[in-house]
Coordinates of all heavy atoms in Angstrom, one line a residue:
E549 N -0.4 -9.9 -2.4 CA -0.3 -11.2 -3.0 C -0.9 -12.3 -2.2 O -1.3 -13.3 -2.7 CB 1.2 -11.5 -3.4 CG 2.1 -11.5 -2.2 CD 3.6 -11.3 -2.6 OE1 3.8 -10.5 -3.5 OE2 4.4 -12.0 -2.0
R550 N -0.9 -12.2 -0.9 CA -1.5 -13.2 0.0 C -3.0 -13.0 0.1 O -3.8 -13.8 0.6 CB -1.0 -13.1 1.4 CG 0.4 -13.6 1.5 CD 0.9 -13.6 3.0 NE -0.2 -13.9 3.9 CZ -0.2 -13.4 5.1 NH1 0.7 -12.6 5.6 NH2 -1.2 -13.7 5.9
M551 N -3.5 -11.8 -0.4 CA -4.9 -11.5 -0.2 C -5.8 -12.3 -1.1 O -5.7 -12.2 -2.3 CB -5.1 -10.0 -0.4 CG -6.5 -9.5 -0.1 SD -6.7 -7.7 -0.1 CE -5.8 -7.2 -1.6
G552 N -6.7 -13.1 -0.6 CA -7.6 -13.8 -1.3 C -8.9 -13.0 -1.7 O -9.1 -11.9 -1.1
H553 N -9.6 -13.5 -2.6 CA -10.8 -12.8 -3.1 C -11.8 -12.6 -1.9 O -12.1 -13.6 -1.2 CB -11.5 -13.6 -4.2 CG -12.7 -12.9 -4.7 ND1 -12.6 -11.8 -5.5 CD2 -14.0 -13.1 -4.6 CE1 -13.9 -11.4 -5.8 NE2 -14.7 -12.2 -5.2
G554 N -12.3 -11.4 -1.7 CA -13.2 -11.2 -0.6 C -12.6 -10.8 0.7 O -13.3 -10.6 1.7
T555 N -11.3 -10.9 0.8 CA -10.6 -10.5 2.1 C -10.8 -9.1 2.4 O -11.0 -8.2 1.6 CB -9.1 -10.8 1.9 OG1 -8.9 -12.1 1.6 CG2 -8.3 -10.4 3.1
I556 N -10.9 -8.8 3.7 CA -10.9 -7.4 4.2 C -9.4 -7.0 4.3 O -8.7 -7.5 5.2 CB -11.6 -7.3 5.5 CG1 -13.1 -7.7 5.3 CG2 -11.5 -5.8 6.0 CD1 -13.9 -7.7 6.6
A557 N -9.0 -6.0 3.5 CA -7.7 -5.5 3.6 C -7.6 -4.5 4.7 O -8.4 -3.6 4.8 CB -7.3 -4.9 2.3
V558 N -6.6 -4.6 5.6 CA -6.3 -3.6 6.7 C -5.0 -2.9 6.4 O -4.0 -3.6 6.4 CB -6.3 -4.4 8.0 CG1 -6.2 -3.4 9.2 CG2 -7.6 -5.2 8.2
L559 N -5.1 -1.6 6.3 CA -3.9 -0.8 5.8 C -3.7 0.4 6.7 O -4.7 0.9 7.2 CB -4.2 -0.4 4.4 CG -4.7 -1.4 3.4 CD1 -5.4 -0.7 2.3 CD2 -3.5 -2.2 2.9
K560 N -2.5 0.9 6.7 CA -2.2 2.1 7.4 C -2.8 3.3 6.5 O -3.5 4.1 7.0 CB -0.7 2.4 7.6 CG -0.2 1.6 8.8 CD 1.2 2.1 9.2 CE 1.7 1.4 10.4 NZ 1.0 1.8 11.6
T561 N -2.5 3.2 5.3 CA -3.0 4.3 4.3 C -3.3 3.6 3.0 O -2.8 2.5 2.8 CB -1.9 5.4 4.2 OG1 -2.5 6.4 3.4 CG2 -0.7 4.9 3.6
V562 N -4.0 4.3 2.1 CA -4.3 3.7 0.8 C -3.6 4.6 -0.2 O -4.0 5.7 -0.6 CB -5.8 3.7 0.6 CG1 -6.1 3.2 -0.8 CG2 -6.5 2.9 1.6
P563 N -2.4 4.1 -0.7 CA -1.7 4.9 -1.7 C -2.3 4.9 -3.0 O -3.1 4.0 -3.3 CB -0.3 4.2 -1.7 CG -0.6 2.8 -1.2 CD -1.7 2.9 -0.3
P564 N -2.1 5.9 -3.9 CA -2.7 6.0 -5.2 C -2.4 4.7 -6.1 O -3.2 4.4 -6.9 CB -2.1 7.2 -5.8 CG -1.7 8.1 -4.6 CD -1.3 7.1 -3.6
D565 N -1.3 4.1 -5.9 CA -1.0 2.9 -6.7 C -1.5 1.6 -6.2 O -1.2 0.6 -6.7 CB 0.6 2.8 -6.9 CG 1.3 2.6 -5.6 OD1 0.7 2.8 -4.6 OD2 2.5 2.3 -5.7
L566 N -2.4 1.7 -5.2 CA -2.9 0.5 -4.6 C -3.7 -0.4 -5.6 O -3.8 -1.6 -5.5 CB -3.7 0.8 -3.4 CG -4.2 -0.4 -2.5 CD1 -2.9 -1.1 -2.0 CD2 -5.0 0.0 -1.4
A567 N -4.4 0.3 -6.5 CA -5.2 -0.4 -7.5 C -4.3 -1.4 -8.3 O -4.7 -2.5 -8.6 CB -5.8 0.6 -8.5
I568 N -3.1 -1.0 -8.5 CA -2.1 -1.9 -9.2 C -1.7 -3.0 -8.3 O -1.5 -4.1 -8.8 CB -0.9 -1.1 -9.7 CG1 -1.3 0.0 -10.6 CG2 0.2 -2.0 -10.3 CD1 -0.3 1.1 -10.9
A569 N -1.7 -2.8 -7.0 CA -1.3 -3.8 -6.1 C -2.3 -4.9 -5.8 O -2.1 -5.8 -5.1 CB -0.9 -3.2 -4.8
G570 N -3.5 -4.8 -6.4 CA -4.5 -5.9 -6.3 C -5.6 -5.7 -5.3 O -6.2 -6.6 -4.9
I571 N -5.9 -4.4 -4.9 CA -6.9 -4.2 -3.9 C -8.3 -4.6 -4.5 O -9.2 -4.9 -3.8 CB -7.0 -2.7 -3.5 CG1 -7.9 -2.5 -2.3 CG2 -7.4 -1.8 -4.6 CD1 -7.5 -3.1 -1.0
G572 N -8.3 -4.8 -5.8 CA -9.6 -5.2 -6.5 C -10.0 -6.6 -6.0 O -11.2 -6.9 -6.2
R573 N -9.2 -7.4 -5.5 CA -9.5 -8.7 -5.0 C -10.2 -8.6 -3.6 O -10.9 -9.5 -3.2 CB -8.3 -9.6 -4.9 CG -7.8 -10.1 -6.2 CD -6.7 -11.1 -6.0 NE -5.6 -10.7 -5.1 CZ -4.4 -10.4 -5.5 NH1 -4.1 -10.4 -6.8 NH2 -3.5 -10.0 -4.6
A574 N -10.0 -7.5 -3.0 CA -10.6 -7.3 -1.6 C -12.1 -7.2 -1.7 O -12.7 -6.7 -2.6 CB -10.0 -6.1 -0.9
G575 N -12.7 -7.6 -0.6 CA -14.2 -7.5 -0.5 C -14.5 -6.2 0.3 O -15.6 -5.7 0.2
A576 N -13.5 -5.6 1.0 CA -13.7 -4.4 1.7 C -12.3 -4.0 2.2 O -11.3 -4.8 2.1 CB -14.6 -4.6 2.9
F577 N -12.2 -2.8 2.7 CA -10.9 -2.4 3.4 C -11.1 -1.5 4.5 O -12.2 -0.8 4.7 CB -9.9 -1.9 2.4 CG -10.3 -0.6 1.7 CD1 -9.9 0.6 2.2 CD2 -11.0 -0.6 0.5 CE1 -10.2 1.8 1.5 CE2 -11.3 0.5 -0.2 CZ -10.9 1.8 0.3
I578 N -10.1 -1.5 5.4 CA -10.1 -0.7 6.6 C -8.8 0.1 6.6 O -7.7 -0.6 6.3 CB -10.2 -1.5 7.9 CG1 -11.5 -2.3 8.0 CG2 -10.0 -0.6 9.2 CD1 -11.5 -3.3 9.1
A579 N -8.8 1.4 6.7 CA -7.5 2.2 6.7 C -7.4 3.0 7.9 O -8.4 3.6 8.4 CB -7.5 3.0 5.5
E580 N -6.2 3.1 8.5 CA -6.0 3.9 9.7 C -6.1 5.4 9.3 O -6.5 6.2 10.1 CB -4.6 3.6 10.2 CG -4.5 2.3 10.9 CD -3.2 2.0 11.5 OE1 -2.3 2.8 11.5 OE2 -3.1 0.9 12.1
E581 N -5.7 5.8 8.1 CA -5.7 7.1 7.7 C -6.8 7.3 6.6 O -7.2 6.4 5.9 CB -4.4 7.6 7.1 CG -3.3 7.5 8.1 CD -1.9 7.8 7.5 OE1 -1.8 8.2 6.4 OE2 -0.9 7.6 8.3
G582 N -7.3 8.5 6.5 CA -8.2 8.8 5.4 C -9.5 9.3 6.0 O -9.9 9.2 7.1
G583 N -10.3 10.0 5.1 CA -11.6 10.5 5.4 C -12.4 10.7 4.2 O -12.0 10.3 3.1
V584 N -13.4 11.5 4.2 CA -14.3 11.7 3.1 C -13.6 12.2 1.8 O -13.8 11.7 0.8 CB -15.5 12.7 3.5 CG1 -16.3 13.0 2.3 CG2 -16.3 12.0 4.6
P585 N -12.7 13.2 1.9 CA -12.0 13.6 0.7 C -10.8 12.9 0.3 O -10.0 13.2 -0.6 CB -11.6 15.1 1.0 CG -11.3 15.0 2.5 CD -12.3 14.0 3.1
S586 N -10.5 11.7 0.9 CA -9.2 11.0 0.7 C -9.3 10.1 -0.5 O -10.3 9.8 -1.0 CB -8.9 10.2 1.9 OG -9.8 9.1 2.1
H587 N -8.1 9.7 -0.9 CA -8.0 8.7 -2.0 C -8.7 7.4 -1.7 O -9.3 6.8 -2.5 CB -6.5 8.5 -2.3 CG -6.3 7.5 -3.5 ND1 -6.6 7.8 -4.8 CD2 -5.9 6.2 -3.5 CE1 -6.3 6.8 -5.5 NE2 -5.9 5.8 -4.8
A588 N -8.6 7.0 -0.4 CA -9.3 5.8 0.0 C -10.8 5.9 -0.2 O -11.4 4.9 -0.6 CB -8.9 5.5 1.5
A589 N -11.3 7.0 0.1 CA -12.8 7.2 -0.1 C -13.2 7.2 -1.5 O -14.2 6.6 -1.9 CB -13.2 8.6 0.6
V590 N -12.3 7.8 -2.4 CA -12.6 7.8 -3.8 C -12.6 6.3 -4.3 O -13.5 5.9 -5.1 CB -11.6 8.6 -4.6 CG1 -11.7 8.5 -6.1 CG2 -11.8 10.1 -4.2
L591 N -11.6 5.5 -3.9 CA -11.5 4.1 -4.3 C -12.7 3.4 -3.9 O -13.3 2.6 -4.6 CB -10.2 3.5 -3.8 CG -8.9 3.7 -4.6 CD1 -7.8 2.9 -3.9 CD2 -9.1 3.2 -6.0
S592 N -13.1 3.6 -2.6 CA -14.2 2.9 -2.1 C -15.5 3.2 -2.9 O -16.2 2.2 -3.2 CB -14.4 3.3 -0.6 OG -15.6 2.8 -0.1
R593 N -15.7 4.4 -3.2 CA -16.9 4.8 -4.0 C -16.8 4.2 -5.4 O -17.8 3.6 -6.0 CB -17.1 6.3 -4.1 CG -17.6 6.9 -2.8 CD -18.0 8.3 -2.9 NE -16.9 9.2 -3.3 CZ -16.0 9.8 -2.5 NH1 -16.2 9.7 -1.2 NH2 -15.1 10.6 -3.0
E594 N -15.7 4.4 -6.1 CA -15.5 4.0 -7.5 C -15.6 2.5 -7.7 O -16.2 2.0 -8.6 CB -14.2 4.5 -8.1 CG -14.2 6.0 -8.4 CD -13.0 6.5 -9.0 OE1 -12.1 5.7 -9.4 OE2 -12.8 7.7 -9.1
W595 N -15.0 1.7 -6.7 CA -15.0 0.3 -6.8 C -16.1 -0.4 -6.1 O -16.2 -1.6 -6.0 CB -13.6 -0.3 -6.4 CG -12.5 0.1 -7.3 CD1 -12.5 0.9 -8.3 CD2 -11.2 -0.4 -7.1 NE1 -11.3 1.0 -8.9 CE2 -10.4 0.2 -8.2 CE3 -10.5 -1.2 -6.3 CZ2 -9.1 0.0 -8.4 CZ3 -9.2 -1.5 -6.4 CH2 -8.5 -0.9 -7.5
K596 N -17.0 0.5 -5.5 CA -18.1 0.0 -4.7 C -17.7 -1.1 -3.6 O -18.3 -2.1 -3.5 CB -19.2 -0.6 -5.6 CG -19.8 0.4 -6.6 CD -20.8 -0.2 -7.5 CE -21.4 0.8 -8.4 NZ -20.6 1.7 -9.2
L597 N -16.6 -0.7 -2.9 CA -16.1 -1.5 -1.9 C -16.4 -0.9 -0.5 O -16.2 0.3 -0.3 CB -14.6 -1.7 -1.9 CG -14.0 -2.5 -3.0 CD1 -12.4 -2.4 -3.0 CD2 -14.4 -4.0 -2.8
P598 N -17.0 -1.7 0.4 CA -17.2 -1.1 1.8 C -15.9 -0.8 2.4 O -14.9 -1.5 2.2 CB -17.9 -2.3 2.5 CG -18.3 -3.3 1.5 CD -17.4 -3.1 0.3
A599 N -15.9 0.3 3.1 CA -14.6 0.7 3.7 C -14.9 1.5 5.0 O -15.9 2.1 5.2 CB -13.8 1.7 2.8
I600 N -14.0 1.4 5.9 CA -14.0 2.1 7.2 C -12.6 2.9 7.2 O -11.6 2.2 7.1 CB -14.1 1.3 8.4 CG1 -15.5 0.6 8.4 CG2 -14.0 2.1 9.7 CD1 -15.8 -0.3 9.6
L601 N -12.7 4.2 7.2 CA -11.5 5.0 7.1 C -11.2 5.7 8.4 O -12.2 6.1 9.2 CB -11.6 6.0 6.0 CG -12.0 5.4 4.6 CD1 -12.2 6.5 3.6 CD2 -11.0 4.4 4.2
G602 N -10.0 6.0 8.7 CA -9.6 6.8 10.0 C -9.7 5.9 11.2 O -9.9 6.4 12.3
M603 N -9.6 4.6 11.1 CA -9.7 3.7 12.2 C -8.3 3.5 12.8 O -7.5 2.8 12.3 CB -10.3 2.3 11.9 CG -10.3 1.4 13.0 SD -11.4 0.0 12.7 CE -13.0 0.7 13.2
R604 N -8.0 4.3 13.9 CA -6.7 4.3 14.5 C -6.3 2.9 15.0 O -7.1 2.2 15.5 CB -6.7 5.3 15.7 CG -6.8 6.7 15.2 CD -6.7 7.6 16.4 NE -7.0 8.9 16.0 CZ -7.6 9.8 16.8 NH1 -7.9 9.5 18.1 NH2 -7.8 11.0 16.4
N605 N -5.0 2.6 14.8 CA -4.4 1.3 15.3 C -5.0 0.1 14.7 O -4.8 -1.0 15.3 CB -4.5 1.3 16.8 CG -3.8 2.4 17.5 OD1 -2.7 2.8 17.1 ND2 -4.5 3.0 18.5
A606 N -5.7 0.1 13.6 CA -6.3 -1.0 13.0 C -5.3 -2.1 12.6 O -5.5 -3.3 12.8 CB -7.1 -0.7 11.7
T607 N -4.1 -1.7 12.1 CA -3.1 -2.7 11.7 C -2.5 -3.3 13.0 O -1.9 -4.4 12.9 CB -2.0 -2.0 10.9 OG1 -1.4 -0.9 11.6 CG2 -2.6 -1.5 9.5
T608 N -2.6 -2.7 14.1 CA -2.0 -3.3 15.3 C -3.1 -4.2 16.0 O -2.8 -5.2 16.5 CB -1.6 -2.2 16.3 OG1 -0.7 -1.3 15.7 CG2 -1.0 -2.7 17.6
L609 N -4.3 -3.7 16.0 CA -5.4 -4.5 16.7 C -5.9 -5.7 15.9 O -6.3 -6.7 16.5 CB -6.6 -3.5 16.9 CG -6.3 -2.3 17.8 CD1 -7.5 -1.4 17.8 CD2 -6.0 -2.8 19.2
L610 N -5.8 -5.7 14.6 CA -6.3 -6.8 13.8 C -5.2 -7.6 13.3 O -4.2 -7.1 12.8 CB -7.2 -6.2 12.6 CG -8.4 -5.4 13.1 CD1 -9.1 -4.8 11.9 CD2 -9.4 -6.3 13.8
K611 N -5.3 -8.9 13.3 CA -4.3 -9.8 12.9 C -4.8 -10.6 11.6 O -6.0 -10.7 11.4 CB -3.9 -10.8 14.0 CG -3.5 -10.2 15.3 CD -2.3 -9.4 15.2 CE -1.9 -8.7 16.5 NZ -1.2 -7.5 16.3
D612 N -3.8 -11.1 10.9 CA -4.1 -12.0 9.7 C -5.1 -13.1 10.1 O -4.9 -13.7 11.2 CB -2.9 -12.5 9.1 CG -2.1 -11.5 8.3 OD1 -2.6 -10.4 8.1 OD2 -0.9 -11.8 8.0
D613 N -6.0 -13.4 9.3 CA -6.9 -14.5 9.4 C -7.9 -14.4 10.5 O -8.6 -15.4 10.8 CB -6.1 -15.9 9.6 CG -5.2 -16.1 8.4 OD1 -5.7 -15.9 7.2 OD2 -4.1 -16.6 8.6
E614 N -8.1 -13.3 11.1 CA -9.1 -13.1 12.1 C -10.4 -12.8 11.3 O -10.4 -12.2 10.3 CB -8.9 -11.8 13.0 CG -7.9 -12.1 14.1 CD -7.7 -10.9 15.0 OE1 -7.7 -9.8 14.5 OE2 -7.7 -11.1 16.2
L615 N -11.5 -13.3 11.9 CA -12.8 -13.0 11.3 C -13.4 -11.7 11.9 O -13.4 -11.6 13.2 CB -13.8 -14.2 11.5 CG -13.4 -15.5 10.8 CD1 -14.4 -16.6 11.2 CD2 -13.5 -15.3 9.3
I616 N -13.8 -10.8 11.1 CA -14.4 -9.6 11.7 C -15.6 -9.2 10.9 O -15.8 -9.6 9.8 CB -13.4 -8.4 11.6 CG1 -13.0 -8.0 10.2 CG2 -12.2 -8.6 12.5 CD1 -12.3 -6.7 10.1
E617 N -16.5 -8.5 11.6 CA -17.7 -8.0 11.0 C -17.6 -6.5 10.9 O -17.2 -5.9 11.9 CB -18.9 -8.4 11.9 CG -20.2 -8.0 11.4 CD -21.3 -8.5 12.4 OE1 -21.6 -9.7 12.4 OE2 -21.8 -7.7 13.2
M618 N -17.9 -5.9 9.8 CA -17.8 -4.5 9.6 C -19.2 -3.9 9.6 O -20.1 -4.4 9.0 CB -17.1 -4.1 8.3 CG -15.7 -4.5 8.2 SD -15.0 -4.2 6.5 CE -15.3 -2.4 6.3
D619 N -19.4 -2.8 10.3 CA -20.6 -2.0 10.2 C -20.2 -0.6 9.6 O -19.7 0.2 10.4 CB -21.2 -1.8 11.6 CG -22.6 -1.1 11.5 OD1 -22.8 -0.3 10.6 OD2 -23.4 -1.3 12.4
T620 N -20.3 -0.5 8.3 CA -19.8 0.7 7.7 C -20.6 2.0 8.0 O -20.1 3.1 7.9 CB -19.7 0.5 6.2 OG1 -20.9 0.1 5.6 CG2 -18.6 -0.5 5.8
E621 N -21.9 1.8 8.4 CA -22.7 2.9 8.7 C -22.3 3.5 10.0 O -22.3 4.7 10.2 CB -24.2 2.5 8.8 CG -24.8 2.2 7.4 CD -26.2 1.9 7.4 OE1 -26.9 2.3 8.4 OE2 -26.7 1.4 6.5
K622 N -21.9 2.7 11.0 CA -21.4 3.1 12.3 C -19.9 3.4 12.3 O -19.4 4.0 13.2 CB -21.8 2.1 13.4 CG -23.2 2.0 13.6 CD -23.5 1.0 14.7 CE -25.0 0.8 15.0 NZ -25.2 -0.2 16.0
G623 N -19.2 2.8 11.3 CA -17.7 2.9 11.3 C -17.1 2.1 12.4 O -16.1 2.4 13.0
S624 N -17.7 0.9 12.6 CA -17.2 0.0 13.7 C -16.9 -1.4 13.1 O -17.4 -1.8 12.1 CB -18.1 0.0 14.8 OG -19.4 -0.7 14.4
I625 N -16.1 -2.1 13.9 CA -15.8 -3.5 13.6 C -16.0 -4.3 14.8 O -15.9 -3.8 15.9 CB -14.4 -3.7 13.0 CG1 -13.3 -3.3 14.0 CG2 -14.2 -3.0 11.7 CD1 -12.0 -3.8 13.7
K626 N -16.2 -5.6 14.6 CA -16.3 -6.6 15.8 C -15.7 -7.9 15.3 O -15.9 -8.4 14.3 CB -17.8 -6.8 16.1 CG -18.1 -7.8 17.2 CD -19.6 -7.8 17.5 CE -20.3 -8.6 16.5 NZ -21.7 -8.9 16.9
K627 N -14.8 -8.4 16.2 CA -14.2 -9.7 16.0 C -15.3 -10.7 16.2 O -16.1 -10.6 17.2 CB -13.0 -9.9 16.9 CG -11.8 -9.0 16.6 CD -10.7 -9.3 17.5 CE -9.6 -8.3 17.2 NZ -8.4 -8.5 18.1
V628 N -15.3 -11.8 15.4 CA -16.3 -12.8 15.5 C -15.6 -14.2 15.6 O -14.5 -14.3 15.0 CB -17.4 -12.8 14.4 CG1 -18.2 -11.6 14.5 CG2 -16.8 -13.0 13.0
E629 N -16.2 -15.1 16.2 CA -15.7 -16.5 16.3 C -16.2 -17.3 15.1 O -17.2 -17.0 14.6 CB -16.2 -17.2 17.6 CG -15.7 -16.5 18.9 CD -14.2 -16.5 19.0 OE1 -13.6 -17.6 18.6 OE2 -13.6 -15.5 19.5
A630 N -15.4 -18.2 14.6 CA -15.7 -19.0 13.4 C -17.1 -19.7 13.6 O -17.9 -19.8 12.7 CB -14.6 -20.0 13.2
A631 N -17.4 -20.1 14.8 CA -18.7 -20.8 15.1 C -19.9 -19.9 14.9 O -21.0 -20.3 14.7 CB -18.7 -21.4 16.5
D632 N -19.6 -18.5 15.1 CA -20.7 -17.6 15.0 C -20.8 -17.0 13.6 O -21.7 -16.2 13.4 CB -20.4 -16.4 16.0 CG -20.4 -16.9 17.4 OD1 -21.1 -17.9 17.7 OD2 -19.7 -16.3 18.2
F633 N -19.9 -17.4 12.7 CA -19.9 -16.8 11.4 C -20.8 -17.5 10.5 O -20.8 -18.7 10.3 CB -18.4 -16.9 10.9 CG -18.3 -16.2 9.5 CD1 -18.3 -14.9 9.4 CD2 -18.2 -17.0 8.4 CE1 -18.1 -14.3 8.1 CE2 -18.0 -16.5 7.1 CZ -18.0 -15.1 7.0
T634 N -21.7 -16.7 9.8 CA -22.5 -17.2 8.8 C -22.5 -16.3 7.6 O -22.4 -15.0 7.7 CB -24.0 -17.4 9.2 OG1 -24.5 -16.1 9.7 CG2 -24.1 -18.4 10.3
L635 N -22.6 -16.8 6.4 CA -22.7 -16.0 5.2 C -24.1 -15.5 5.0 O -25.0 -16.2 5.3 CB -22.2 -16.8 4.0 CG -20.8 -17.2 3.9 CD1 -20.5 -18.1 2.8 CD2 -19.9 -16.0 3.8
P636 N -24.2 -14.2 4.5 CA -25.5 -13.7 4.3 C -26.3 -14.4 3.2 O -25.8 -15.0 2.4 CB -25.3 -12.2 3.9 CG -23.8 -12.1 3.7 CD -23.1 -13.3 4.2

């Protein structure tokens, strides 16, 4: 409910009922659990949302309202400062 449009959702796991919970507002998601055959991967493909799966400790390392940059090809993230942030 706090997630705004385009937010990167950071989750431990992606449960099957997440679609009902509003993940559609997200611009991308990061999950601690999951891989190629997971429900999270299926949602990412079907909804055309960038995702990084299997990122250990993501919910501990990332805090609300932090700006991050995702590289889905490498499966990595980088925290960025507001002054360095530009929209594509």
